[in-house]
């Protein structure tokens, strides 16, 4: 079958690969759609970052490695020990792999596992392929009422929901979002669903700003307006919460100073390097800075994956709004190139094998 393999920086190839044998606790999925993530793009443009050059200590995976960690499909085979899933079931894959024995795993924080790996990043079974074999505990059932291709958006929306939960966002809060890529737009949708009132989005790209405006946000172009002044003027000195979703020095500092005293800043981005910041902006205003990393592992009650599936089923989110293109496996290398162009109007590209 065909799959997209990551060989190194700017070296992503569509290849014919052997299909993975099905272990007794595994399921084989006929992949319907897989999203290209900002972190995939980082690996392509500046990696390897998380893609293991030496075998990953827990999974043994190393590059060349099959990419794709945001995907959905239908189960086409189950291993002998799998009883909870059946052939034909529509599912989403939760890519988190964890050891089960470190202090975080035993405390129920598997997403912070000391030897964490992700399917399609540091574990085999990536979704840029016709089929994927993953452990049965990685799959989350998707109701037939949700189009299968939209299942690929459950992962990025779960990242956004975890960030919103870290912020303790409640109805009536004022919110600023710095960066309107897929995660920034998903946070904007979820902040709306959670009852945010004054909602600001700062984003330099026109196409992304327009989408944020469609969601009811007040948009700011940071290249022609100082976003913090506008936000502070409109919110009596700052928002309750800010989300940093761009990963650069300016947005890091703007996110902090755009909040009110005693406000909360959630840092969602992965940064390519250190930034310069003044700690007094946090100290003197008693602000709180929170990190947020992925989402709850596996399939469990109250997990972000399950909550997002319910919100999608309930019509409270609009995943189509994030999708700007759908491509075939063969076009994945060009997809990466189009996403990295600064003037690109792309947001989320779906790959349909
Ligand atoms: Zn992702
Ligand atoms: Zn662990």
């Amino acid at each position: 079958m065909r799959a997209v393999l990551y060989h190194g920086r700017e070296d992503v190839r569509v290849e014919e690969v052997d299909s993975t044998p099905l272990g007794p606790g595994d399921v084989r999925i006929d992949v319907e759609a897989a999203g290209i993530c900002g972190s995939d793009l980082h690996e392509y443009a500046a990696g390897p970052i998380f893609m293991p050059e030496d075998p990953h200590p827990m999974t043994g995976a190393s590059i060349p490695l099959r990419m794709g960690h945001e995907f959905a499909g239908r189960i086409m085979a189950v291993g002998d020990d799998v009883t909870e899933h059946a052939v034909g079931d529509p599912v989403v894959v939760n890519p988190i792999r964890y050891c089960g024995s470190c202090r975080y795993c035993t405390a129920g924080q598997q997403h912070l596992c000391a030897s964490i790996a992700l399917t399609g990043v540091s574990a085999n079974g990536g979704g840029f392929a016709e089929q994927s074999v993953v452990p049965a505990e990685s799959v989350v059932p998707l109701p037939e009422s949700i189009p299968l291709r939209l299942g690929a958006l459950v992962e990025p929306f779960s990242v956004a929901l975890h960030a919103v939960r870290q912020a303790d966002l409640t109805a009536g809060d004022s919110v600023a979002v710095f960066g309107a890529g897929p995660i920034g737009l998903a946070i904007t949708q979820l902040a709306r669903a959670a009852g945010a009132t004054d909602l600001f989005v700062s984003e330099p790209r026109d196409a992304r700003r327009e989408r944020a405006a469609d969601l009811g946000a007040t948009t700011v172009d940071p290249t022609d307006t100082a976003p913090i002044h506008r936000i502070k003027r409109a919110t009596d000195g700052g928002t309750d919460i800010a989300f940093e979703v761009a990963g650069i020095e300016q947005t890091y500092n703007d996110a902090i100073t755009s909040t009110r005293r005693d406000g909360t800043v959630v840092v969602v981005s992965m940064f390519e390097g250190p930034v310069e910041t003044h700690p007094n902006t946090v100290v003197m205003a008693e602000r709180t800075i929170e990190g947020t990393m992925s989402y709850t592992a596996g399939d469990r009650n109250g997990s972000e994956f399950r909550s997002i599936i319910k919100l999608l089923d309930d019509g409270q989110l609009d995943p189509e709004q994030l999708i700007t293109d759908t491509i075939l496996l063969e076009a994945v290398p060009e997809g990466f190139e189009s996403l990295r162009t600064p003037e690109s109007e792309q947001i989320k590209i779906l790959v349909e094998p």
Side-chain angles (χ1 to χ4, degrees), residues 7 90 93 131 165 254 284 298 312 315 326 334:
H7 286 260
V93 172
Q131 298 172 12
R165 288 180 172 175
D254 283 355
M284 295 177 69
L312 287 171
T326 300
E334 295 101 87

Side-chain angles (χ1 to χ4, degrees), residues 37 39 69-70 155:
C37 177
S39 70
H69 60 269
E70 310 176 350
E155 196 268 2

Side-chain angles (χ1 to χ4, degrees), residues 99-100 102 105 113-114:
C99 76
C102 72
C105 284
C113 173

Side-chain angles (χ1 to χ4, degrees), residues 162-174:
H162 194 65
V164 166
R165 288 180 172 175
Q166 290 291 80
D168 285 329
L169 199 163
T170 49
D173 281 349
S174 52

Side-chain angles (χ1 to χ4, degrees), residues 141-163:
L142 195 71
E144 293 282 0
S145 52
I146 299 173
L148 197 45
R149 62 190 285 273
L150 297 183
L153 275 296
V154 171
E155 196 268 2
F157 269 99
S158 294
V159 170
L161 179 57
H162 194 65

